Amino acid sequence: MPKIEVCLTPALLDLYAIENSIVVVIDVLRATSSITYGIDNGAEAIIPVMEVEDCLAYADQGYLLAAERNGEVVTGYDFGNSPFSYTKDKVYGKTIVLTTTNGTKAMHLAQERAHQVIIGSFLNLAAICDYLKSQNRNVLLLCAGWKDNFNLEDTLFAGAVVHHLQGDFKLADDSCVAAVDMYRLAKDDLRQYLRKSSHSHRLIKLNIEEDVQFCLKLDLCKTIPVLEGERLVALR
């Protein structure tokens, strides 16, 4: 039976042997939700980059440039990481270059060693779980956290995945147990549970409650973004 593990922050990733694992990168508020929604809405690809300045290398290629820091759109860029910037009318057939505070960093760290890197959110929870069940391979759920610290929302999603997969995978660490216990506490009202989270407080100050509510919707998307080279594309 394959094992499933939860890495609570990218700062701990070096502790995990992931060379033969599928790594699910989780940054539900809002990067991985927006990426999933964008790819589901027909974006040709999303290129995650580490730094705001890295986006500029793509400026003359006709791509959309998206940059977020501390929850806000970086001045001069097309948009940030609100899911409402990734609707079909804005992204269909387009390539987007994206940098975010936490999520894109986690993707790059995972890609250095992982067998495969895919993108998870509540929007594609069922698709993620079905795919992982079909692969018979070890899984690491990598929470992007907040600036290398633990956060509630990404751990909550990791717990949702563990909850759905625990009959098919061996729970390999205590963070799995903690995450699934947290999810069971929260699953009847995810938004209410997350009102106590630090990131929720940050986002409230930015007046983007609509984004938060959207990112907690279940199974709006069937697409799984997968990192192939430098590009996130739809898993086929």
Side-chain angles (χ1 to χ4, degrees):
M1 180 181 286
K3 67 181 179 180
I4 188 167
E5 301 171 292
V6 173
C7 181
L8 296 172
T9 154
L12 298 173
L13 186 59
D14 284 346
L15 301 177
Y16 292 84
I18 58 171
E19 288 74 11
N20 295 307
S21 298
I22 298 171
V23 174
V24 183
V25 176
I26 304 162
D27 186 6
V28 295
L29 297 180
R30 297 164 286 167
T32 59
S33 301
S34 296
I35 288 166
T36 299
Y37 194 50
I39 297 290
D40 201 67
N41 279 326
E44 184 175 309
I46 296 175
I47 301 172
V49 297
M50 292 279 278
E51 303 296 339
V52 173
E53 296 75 21
D54 296 336
C55 287
L56 298 177
Y58 297 86
D60 59 353
Q61 298 185 40
Y63 298 161
L64 294 171
L65 304 183
E68 169 271 332
R69 284 296 181 269
N70 299 314
E72 299 184 278
V73 179
V74 177
T75 303
Y77 287 80
D78 294 309
F79 47 84
N81 67 347
S82 167
F84 299 112
S85 297
Y86 292 77
T87 53
K88 185 169 287 189
D89 61 310
K90 294 175 182 174
V91 304
Y92 186 86
K94 303 285 182 63
T95 294
I96 301 129
V97 183
L98 171 68
T99 184
T100 72
T101 306
N102 304 293
T104 51
K105 173 187 173 183
M107 293 169 213
H108 281 277
L109 289 174
Q111 190 180 32
E112 290 174 5
R113 292 190 292 124
H115 170 74
Q116 184 182 56
V117 178
I118 63 174
I119 301 303
S121 68
F122 286 105
L123 301 181
N124 66 342
L125 173 62
I128 288 283
C129 292
D130 289 345
Y131 175 69
L132 295 176
K133 281 183 186 178
S134 74
Q135 295 304 292
N136 193 36
R137 185 178 285 276
N138 293 339
V139 170
L140 178 77
L141 304 173
L142 174 57
C143 301
W146 177 258
K147 297 182 178 180
D148 277 344
N149 286 302
F150 166 89
N151 73 12
L152 283 181
E153 62 271 15
D154 295 341
T155 308
L156 193 62
F157 176 78
V161 176
V162 175
H163 174 76
H164 289 289
L165 296 183
Q166 59 187 352
D168 300 280
F169 288 79
K170 175 188 174 187
L171 275 59
D173 57 9
D174 284 357
S175 51
C176 267
V177 178
V180 76
D181 281 355
M182 182 192 300
Y183 173 71
R184 287 173 182 151
L185 281 173
K187 64 184 177 66
D188 292 334
D189 193 339
L190 297 174
R191 182 67 190 103
Q192 184 58 37
Y193 187 85
L194 286 176
R195 288 191 189 281
K196 64 185 89 172
S197 74
S198 59
H199 197 42
S200 182
H201 294 155
R202 279 188 289 273
L203 295 177
I204 285 169
K205 290 178 183 175
L206 297 173
N207 196 29
I208 49 177
E209 174 64 21
E210 191 178 8
D211 281 18
V212 178
Q213 297 275 3
F214 185 85
C215 291
L216 298 178
K217 290 181 180 294
L218 292 175
D219 300 326
L220 287 185
C221 304
K222 297 191 185 310
T223 300
I224 298 173
V226 58
L227 195 52
E228 295 185 354
E230 66 169 6
R231 302 160 72 88
L232 287 159
V233 296
L235 181 69
R236 290 173 177 82

